[in-house]
Amino acid sequence: MDSNQDVEELPINACWALLRATTVGRLAVWVEDHPDIFPLNYAVDHGTLVFRSREGTKVFGALSDAPVALEVDGYDPPTSKAWSVVAKGRAGAISQVHDLMDTVDLPLFPWQAGEKKRFIRIHPDLITGRRFPVADPDIWRTPLSDVRRASPE
């Protein structure tokens, strides 16, 4: 059986629905000479993705000239299928007073406490998603799977 046949490419409206249904993702940014990934809470707002943060590497990378990507994923127990959505685009600081006033009402609740005065908006140029059945873990078992290993000490 070819497992690639079971992968469903999601239409854009399904991707947006999944982005709206969750609030935690991973932001990929380019920092100096390497990629970096940060977990964050976000909200969908008029075809964009918004997050809040404090100054630091994440904000520096997001606001650089390099594009960013936000990835979210999940699992649907009734169907035993997983899904993944990636939004790629450019990020910009929300700094105009009227834009900030609209943004303050968004359900942005960072997990980490502290001052989070920076609001960043991602304008996606490309959103892709897929859904696929989750493989039974037993298919990955080998004769050595249950062998007891010696302590590394």
Side-chain angles (χ1 to χ4, degrees):
M1 179 169 112
D2 182 4
S3 62
N4 287 335
Q5 291 177 347
D6 296 333
V7 175
E8 173 191 0
E9 298 296 325
L10 298 174
I12 190 74
N13 60 331
C15 292
W16 278 111
L18 290 168
L19 285 166
R20 283 186 201 91
T22 189
T23 60
V24 178
R26 283 160 298 286
L27 179 70
V29 298
W30 192 259
V31 180
E32 296 176 5
D33 63 347
H34 61 276
D36 215 337
I37 299 173
F38 299 91
L40 56 75
N41 301 81
Y42 71 93
V44 173
D45 184 42
H46 303 291
T48 67
L49 304 160
V50 177
F51 68 93
R52 66 187 297 174
S53 186
R54 66 177 179 83
E55 293 291 339
T57 306
K58 177 180 12 178
V59 170
F60 174 79
L63 297 179
S64 72
D65 290 335
V68 302
L70 178 75
E71 190 268 346
V72 298
D73 50 32
Y75 176 71
D76 183 31
T79 64
S80 296
K81 291 186 176 182
W83 57 266
S84 178
V85 174
V86 178
K88 299 174 185 175
R90 300 281 177 176
I94 300 172
S95 55
Q96 298 294 321
V97 174
H98 63 279
D99 292 332
L100 283 170
M101 295 302 289
D102 289 342
T103 305
V104 169
D105 289 340
L106 292 174
L108 292 168
F109 306 109
W111 286 348
Q112 188 177 23
E115 200 170 271
K116 311 271 185 185
K117 291 185 176 181
R118 296 299 304 263
F119 289 83
I120 310 296
R121 184 179 306 276
I122 300 169
H123 298 270
D125 297 321
L126 178 65
I127 298 179
T128 58
R130 59 192 197 124
R131 183 176 287 126
F132 51 92
V134 174
D136 181 341
D138 286 338
I139 70 168
W140 304 109
R141 297 182 72 71
T142 70
L144 298 176
S145 293
D146 294 323
V147 173
R148 204 172 157 129
R149 291 171 177 79
S151 172
E153 295 178 11

